[in-house]
Amino acid sequence: GLGSALFILCLSLVLQESLMELSGAREIERRPNVFLLDIKTNQLETFEQVTKRFDVKKKYLAPIIGARLTKVNGERVKKEDTVRNAMERNWRATARTREYFLSYRDELFETEKVTNGSWWNQASSDEISVEKEFSGYLDTKVGETLTFNVQGVEVTGKITNLRSVNWSDMKPNFVVIFSKGSLERAPKFYISSLLIESSETRYQFQKEVVSSMPNITVIDTEKTIQAFLKILEKVTQMIRLMTGFIIASALLLVLTTLYSSHFERRKEFSLLRVIG
């Protein structure tokens, strides 16, 4: 009983620490807490003007281009490989047949690291970087080529590096990104992540964005994190209460066993004295 109680207590502490770390609640450096989706190209100037009127930090803006993978090393992806069963459609099973959201940029984020190959320079064109774990799902490596269908136009690039990505850093991360080149001319929209400390400022910012650009979706992740932390706190309290109950029950059982054993030993000792 004591062993079980200590195991549950340790497990709850590890679980709590892991969830707190994942949520970013105990981060030393604050992560972006506001996301904006579906920013049109002709709205970028208005978006910049709005953000300048607020105390915005860590602003990241990324273009997004919808595409489908059509060829790997010049070999066409077979349609019959598409997973029909919805229950089996995971990252690994649909790596070659899923819809992709591609992006392009010149620099690595500070939370990314090249693990194989080398990052491109600003003069590079149509080079590709793939997240290292996802490259295994694609069964591709550095030096191979990928061809994507972007609204009827095929865009081909060469994989020049694999990179690790910290997905919990709340930046606009992608499994596949291009260097600048052909993809720049494709129809696109933008997403942005930024940090606004004050809840009142976030509310006013959201009102301003929705008022001037109604199509943009604004997501305040700070509210979600705070709600998550409250739920986590209640769950942790319940686990600790159960652990305390188990420990108390185990101690009571140990004391009862010791008392019963002591009582039996006294009876035996008295009996031995009587019979000499």
Side-chain angles (χ1 to χ4, degrees):
L2 285 173
S4 300
L6 292 174
F7 174 76
I8 294 174
L9 179 61
C10 292
L11 182 62
S12 67
L13 292 175
V14 171
L15 178 63
Q16 181 185 11
E17 290 298 322
S18 299
L19 292 175
M20 293 286 280
E21 181 68 24
L22 181 63
S23 68
R26 291 183 176 174
E27 61 190 359
I28 298 175
E29 185 178 357
R30 291 278 284 160
R31 300 172 186 173
N33 56 7
V34 178
F35 285 84
L36 298 98
L37 311 178
D38 198 24
I39 304 172
K40 307 299 183 185
T41 303
N42 58 4
Q43 294 175 324
L44 290 178
E45 184 176 352
T46 304
F47 174 70
E48 292 293 335
Q49 293 174 355
V50 171
T51 54
K52 287 179 180 179
R53 293 198 290 268
F54 294 87
D55 185 20
V56 173
K57 303 174 183 177
K58 298 185 179 180
K59 184 175 69 176
Y60 298 93
L61 187 68
I64 294 183
I65 299 97
R68 280 197 176 275
L69 183 65
T70 57
K71 297 178 184 177
V72 178
N73 292 321
E75 183 179 346
R76 189 164 295 277
V77 175
K78 299 177 182 178
K79 291 184 178 180
E80 52 268 26
D81 292 338
T82 302
V83 178
R84 303 296 181 183
N85 189 347
M87 299 298 293
E88 298 177 358
R89 290 178 191 159
N90 53 33
W91 279 85
R92 182 183 295 275
T94 62
R96 293 197 173 198
T97 56
R98 64 188 293 272
E99 183 177 359
Y100 282 79
F101 288 113
L102 307 176
S103 188
Y104 57 86
R105 51 183 156 92
D106 289 331
E107 304 294 336
L108 278 169
F109 289 146
E110 65 276 8
T111 51
E112 296 176 318
K113 182 180 179 181
V114 173
T115 59
N116 193 2
S118 58
W119 188 253
W120 49 71
N121 54 50
Q122 294 191 2
S124 301
S125 178
D126 295 336
E127 295 186 15
I128 296 177
S129 175
V130 183
E131 196 271 334
K132 65 175 184 178
E133 184 176 353
F134 194 76
S135 69
Y137 302 159
L138 278 173
D139 192 22
T140 55
K141 57 182 182 294
V142 172
E144 298 186 336
T145 61
L146 300 177
T147 301
F148 292 90
N149 184 314
V150 182
Q151 297 190 13
V153 178
E154 290 193 340
V155 177
T156 301
K158 181 180 180 181
I159 301 175
T160 57
N161 66 83
L162 306 179
R163 72 191 194 285
S164 61
V165 180
N166 180 7
W167 295 104
S168 64
D169 69 352
M170 308 301 281
K171 295 184 181 68
N173 294 306
F174 300 85
V175 292
V176 177
I177 57 176
F178 273 68
S179 64
K180 290 184 177 180
S182 302
L183 211 60
E184 289 184 271
R185 300 188 292 272
K188 65 181 76 67
F189 64 94
Y190 292 82
I191 64 171
S192 179
S193 65
L194 43 88
L195 174 64
I196 301 178
E197 296 285 1
S198 169
S199 58
E200 179 62 29
T201 304
R202 288 197 303 273
Y203 175 71
Q204 294 300 328
F205 175 77
Q206 183 172 353
K207 285 181 58 179
E208 182 73 19
V209 169
V210 173
S211 175
S212 56
M213 296 168 284
N215 62 292
I216 295 179
T217 301
V218 183
I219 302 175
D220 184 355
T221 60
E222 193 72 24
K223 293 181 179 179
T224 304
I225 292 174
Q226 293 303 320
F228 169 78
L229 291 178
K230 290 180 181 178
I231 295 173
L232 177 61
E233 183 180 358
K234 291 179 180 179
V235 171
T236 303
Q237 289 176 351
M238 289 299 298
I239 293 176
R240 288 178 177 174
L241 181 63
M242 291 175 60
T243 305
F245 176 76
I246 294 173
I247 291 176
S249 301
L251 288 174
L252 181 61
L253 178 62
V254 169
L255 291 175
T256 303
T257 304
L258 289 175
Y259 177 78
S260 177
S261 177
H262 177 68
F263 182 73
E264 290 295 329
R265 298 289 82 76
R266 289 185 61 185
K267 286 180 62 178
E268 292 176 1
F269 181 72
S270 299
L271 181 61
L272 289 172
R273 291 184 60 183
V274 169
I275 64 178

